Amino acid sequence: MTQSLKDLNEDGFGQNIEQSFLLENGTTLTINGLMSDENRLVVYITLANEEGLPDDLDRIFTPQSITGFFTNANINSSYYEISDDKTKMTGILQYDSINAFSKKLKLQYYYWKNDTEIIEGAVTFPYNHKEAWQTKMKQSINKKLKVDKGTVNFKTITATPTQTVIEGTFNVENYDRLSHGFDGVELIVNGQPLPLEGYSSSSSFGKNNAFSIEYGGLPEDVDSLEIHMKNFIGYKEINKSISLIGEEKKKVIPLENGELTINDIQLKDELMIRISTSDSILLDKVSIINEAQENIPLKTTTNQQLAKNKDGTIINERTLLFETNAKPLELHIGGLHYMKEYNKKIDIPLE
């Protein structure tokens, strides 16, 4: 549970439900309560069975969407904690926001009756929109930040007691080259960053893709509010040539924001160079010069896997394949996609 939900839960906020339903396999599902606002719906549940709950939750209960009046809310996450004797499990289900005029909500679920048959079911419980929270803040931002390969447009901020959401669009040519996305975009409140809960992005046929970044709820008193793009994906032309002559293994080459390690070189039907870098670095425009003085571009990358160093940092190991059976002399790297420090800020006026 996020800190925002913990605080609200401990203060007794939300709608109390406490309705129980008997599932077909003898397990009792209880809808204990919920919290709702413009950003999301949070449902608290309990699963209980005196005979014991299975290790595989899909055998008894897999929650799906919640429907209601003009409502079809997708599930975004679920968290569970099971008792020591495995007879009781408490859970928190998080959904998209729901229509305020819904009076009843239907939780769709399924479970495996056996190894081949899936049973669909649903339970219905009341919803009281008067116990939902009002939005604390909803205003436009409409400010852009330039990055190496495009722009990010921060459009709106919506703050509720449970969550703060920033939405916008981006047109960044190399955004999908690394998996870090909006990890480095902070929301600073009264000089302190709010906890980042997650983010999502979606592609469109046009130039602009949509994004949504989710943070914890705002405190009661907000004196200052700003977006801090601490880091984001960048690009740098390096045009670096690395000698591959000699028997040395584990050759380490410093790069922007990290290093490249050449772990192994094998020449069979094709040339295979096993390398590792930080997971926040991706090589671009890679080729080799062989002993025939041919410039051979990278054919493909295979056997990619992530590993953890002793210091906790993540490295990306993979094999570079080149279509040549001649001995390599040099590895050439034209550029780097990497997580770059931008340290750009946008002040959000408090209206």
Side-chain angles (χ1 to χ4, degrees):
M1 194 188 301
T2 66
Q3 190 60 48
S4 299
L5 292 181
K6 281 183 181 179
D7 293 342
L8 293 168
N9 191 62
E10 288 170 2
D11 290 338
F13 290 111
Q15 179 181 341
N16 193 45
I17 305 290
E18 295 300 338
Q19 285 196 4
S20 297
F21 308 88
L22 185 62
L23 306 183
E24 293 186 34
N25 52 21
T27 296
T28 299
L29 165 66
T30 301
I31 308 295
N32 303 109
L34 58 86
M35 295 182 184
S36 66
D37 56 33
E38 188 174 344
N39 281 333
R40 63 179 167 183
L41 169 71
V42 182
V43 181
Y44 298 86
I45 68 167
T46 301
L47 294 164
N49 192 325
E50 293 182 356
E51 301 298 321
L53 297 168
D55 293 332
D56 185 359
L57 191 59
D58 290 344
R59 295 290 176 185
I60 57 170
F61 178 75
T62 301
Q64 300 297 298
S65 62
I66 281 184
T67 58
F69 182 73
F70 285 105
T71 291
N72 188 2
N74 295 318
I75 188 167
N76 296 317
S77 61
S78 58
Y79 308 90
Y80 298 95
E81 184 175 281
I82 192 166
S83 61
D84 292 338
D85 62 2
K86 295 188 177 183
T87 62
K88 183 179 179 181
M89 180 181 288
T90 55
I92 302 172
L93 314 179
Q94 297 197 41
Y95 291 86
D96 294 336
S97 59
I98 59 174
N99 188 289
F101 295 101
S102 297
K103 293 185 178 180
K104 291 184 178 181
L105 298 176
K106 182 183 288 187
L107 169 57
Q108 317 277 352
Y109 69 92
Y110 71 77
Y111 71 94
W112 287 88
K113 187 173 182 179
N114 49 51
D115 290 336
T116 59
E117 186 178 3
I118 297 177
I119 303 296
E120 295 181 352
V123 296
T124 302
F125 53 93
Y127 172 69
N128 184 357
H129 73 278
K130 293 181 181 179
E131 297 191 39
W133 286 297
Q134 298 299 312
T135 298
K136 284 186 173 183
M137 173 193 292
K138 187 173 185 179
Q139 67 185 63
S140 62
I141 303 171
N142 286 330
K143 291 188 178 179
K144 296 181 179 180
L145 293 179
K146 287 199 67 175
V147 294
D148 288 348
K149 289 287 187 176
T151 57
V152 181
N153 184 9
F154 297 87
K155 288 191 170 183
T156 62
I157 180 170
T158 304
T160 64
T162 71
Q163 193 176 61
T164 308
V165 177
I166 291 177
E167 295 180 307
T169 59
F170 65 98
N171 179 15
V172 180
E173 182 184 325
N174 63 337
Y175 173 79
D176 60 354
R177 302 311 299 268
L178 294 174
S179 61
H180 293 266
F182 288 84
D183 282 343
V185 178
E186 298 179 332
L187 182 60
I188 309 296
V189 183
N190 300 338
Q192 298 295 323
L194 275 185
L196 174 66
E197 294 185 355
Y199 59 85
S200 61
S201 60
S202 58
S203 300
S204 64
F205 292 107
K207 290 184 177 180
N208 290 326
N209 302 312
F211 71 85
S212 174
I213 316 175
E214 297 152 8
Y215 303 91
L218 291 180
E220 283 299 320
D221 298 316
V222 178
D223 299 319
S224 64
L225 194 59
E226 69 177 20
I227 296 169
H228 180 197
M229 182 184 278
K230 191 174 180 180
N231 54 62
F232 200 78
I233 188 168
Y235 185 84
K236 185 174 183 179
E237 295 276 354
I238 61 171
N239 292 316
K240 189 177 186 69
S241 293
I242 301 163
S243 174
L244 300 178
I245 299 173
E247 299 299 323
E248 180 185 359
K249 292 186 179 181
K250 296 287 184 182
K251 181 182 290 186
V252 178
I253 299 95
L255 296 175
E256 190 79 19
N257 206 35
E259 59 188 25
L260 162 70
T261 301
I262 298 177
N263 298 308
D264 189 35
I265 300 174
Q266 294 186 29
L267 184 59
K268 296 180 181 178
D269 295 332
E270 293 181 307
L271 173 64
M272 296 176 287
I273 303 178
R274 185 70 179 166
I275 67 167
S276 58
T277 66
S278 161
D279 73 325
S280 61
I281 292 176
L282 187 68
L283 310 182
D284 188 41
K285 300 176 185 176
V286 177
S287 62
I288 59 109
I289 302 293
N290 63 17
E291 60 184 355
Q293 294 301 311
E294 297 171 319
N295 190 327
I296 309 296
L298 176 68
K299 176 184 176 183
T300 189
T301 302
T302 64
N303 299 328
Q304 183 166 283
Q305 61 184 23
L306 298 179
K308 184 179 288 188
N309 284 326
K310 292 181 179 179
D311 61 3
T313 58
I314 305 298
I315 59 171
N316 184 356
E317 299 176 343
R318 64 263 199 203
T319 299
L320 309 179
L321 292 183
F322 301 87
E323 285 187 321
T324 180
N325 53 15
K327 186 177 180 181
L329 301 180
E330 289 183 353
L331 174 68
H332 182 76
I333 303 169
L336 291 176
H337 304 280
Y338 69 106
M339 293 308 293
K340 176 179 177 178
E341 280 195 23
Y342 284 95
N343 287 320
K344 294 186 176 184
K345 297 180 179 181
I346 294 175
D347 288 323
I348 301 175
L350 301 175
E351 297 179 355

